[in-house]
Amino acid sequence: AFFHDVVYNPKSSTNEKDSADLFLQFATELTKTIFSPTPKQQEEGISGDDNDGQAYTQQYVRNCKMVTQIEECIIATATHISSAESAHEMQNHTLATFLDADMSILGKDVDVYDKYAGCIRREYEFVEREMYCEKRADILESFLPLIVEAEVNTSSKSAIPVKRHAFIYATEKARQQWEEQAGKNLKNEIEMLRRGIIPCETQKDGSCIQEQPHCTSQL
């Protein structure tokens, strides 16, 4: 969790990969420290800095199950919904739990969620307001569960499977605890954005642009 978005730039599309790369660098350096020669070995001329030693360190890190799981969790946050569905289907409990925790804010009470939505706007204040409303609404709509029956190819009369996710969350516990409220929060913000209203939007001085319930205090 510490390395998730440890590299974060709202203008970047590679935050997850950059964060994963930084984690792998940390894991490699940590492994080198753990397996560094003892003072006695150093006296015998064993440095651990030769090519064989470096190759062993890199191989050890790459073969470490925990390192692989952490890297997978970080990368998966770039495609939350599809990754959550895949984690559920594959019964990858570690990844499913991690993704649900990262998306837990969507299922919070409306006052908490609206303040969160206002914070997101401040992160992306460099985006023109109308464009922000349009694109964020599109992104949020992609989070909403959607079950579509298979399309039929009119020429061959064969069914073309259309895969859509049925849930926002990956674990049963998260679905019971947050799924319903998350759906309400997302639909509410989408409806507001389509009308040009951003929840808890503030000016640079911190004052509210739109007087809305739940937005009288800042996170």
Side-chain angles (χ1 to χ4, degrees), residues 4-215:
H4 165 49
D5 274 348
V6 67
V7 177
Y8 183 74
N9 179 355
K11 297 182 180 181
S12 173
S13 61
T14 61
N15 289 318
E16 293 80 10
K17 181 181 183 305
D18 294 341
S19 296
D21 288 345
L22 184 60
F23 163 71
L24 290 175
Q25 179 183 337
F26 166 80
T28 300
E29 293 298 323
L30 180 61
T31 302
K32 286 171 61 177
T33 300
I34 293 174
F35 291 103
S36 61
T38 64
K40 182 177 180 180
Q41 289 175 322
Q42 290 176 349
E43 290 177 0
E44 295 173 351
I46 301 176
S47 66
D49 292 329
D50 55 17
N51 292 334
D52 289 342
Q54 293 178 9
Y56 173 79
T57 298
Q58 294 175 354
Q59 183 181 13
Y60 180 87
V61 169
R62 273 299 172 190
N63 290 338
C64 178
K65 183 178 179 180
M66 182 177 66
V67 170
T68 301
Q69 286 179 329
I70 295 173
E71 181 187 17
E72 179 185 29
C73 286
I74 296 171
I75 293 295
T77 58
T79 52
H80 258 293
I81 298 300
S82 59
S83 294
E85 183 181 23
S86 176
H88 178 79
E89 291 176 352
M90 299 296 292
Q91 296 187 344
N92 187 334
H93 302 300
T94 299
L95 179 58
T97 301
F98 179 83
L99 290 171
D100 283 356
D102 193 41
M103 294 282 273
S104 62
I105 184 64
L106 302 183
K108 298 297 184 181
D109 291 339
V110 63
D111 56 339
V112 176
Y113 179 86
D114 282 353
K115 292 172 187 175
Y116 150 78
C119 288
I120 296 298
R121 173 53 182 160
R122 287 192 289 278
E123 284 186 20
Y124 289 89
E125 61 184 359
F126 59 88
V127 178
E128 188 273 327
R129 192 176 186 282
E130 184 176 346
M131 178 65 72
Y132 174 86
C133 289
E134 177 186 348
K135 295 303 182 182
R136 178 158 173 81
D138 289 345
I139 292 172
L140 296 182
E141 283 186 339
S142 72
F143 289 175
L144 290 173
L146 179 62
I147 304 176
V148 179
E149 295 182 357
E151 296 178 352
V152 177
N153 188 320
T154 55
S155 60
S156 64
K157 301 299 182 180
S158 60
I160 303 175
V162 178
K163 190 172 184 179
R164 293 291 188 270
H165 61 280
F167 297 95
I168 297 170
Y169 295 101
T171 65
E172 294 300 330
K173 184 174 182 179
R175 290 174 180 179
Q176 294 174 7
Q177 185 170 351
W178 296 318
E179 188 78 27
E180 182 178 357
Q181 185 61 43
K184 291 179 180 178
N185 288 335
L186 291 172
K187 290 176 183 177
N188 182 60
E189 185 180 359
I190 291 168
E191 189 272 335
M192 292 177 69
L193 291 168
R194 295 301 188 201
R195 293 191 290 118
I197 301 174
I198 300 173
C200 292
E201 185 178 16
T202 59
Q203 300 181 35
K204 290 184 178 180
D205 63 1
S207 60
C208 290
I209 293 177
Q210 300 279 350
E211 287 297 331
Q212 301 163 20
H214 318 301
C215 299

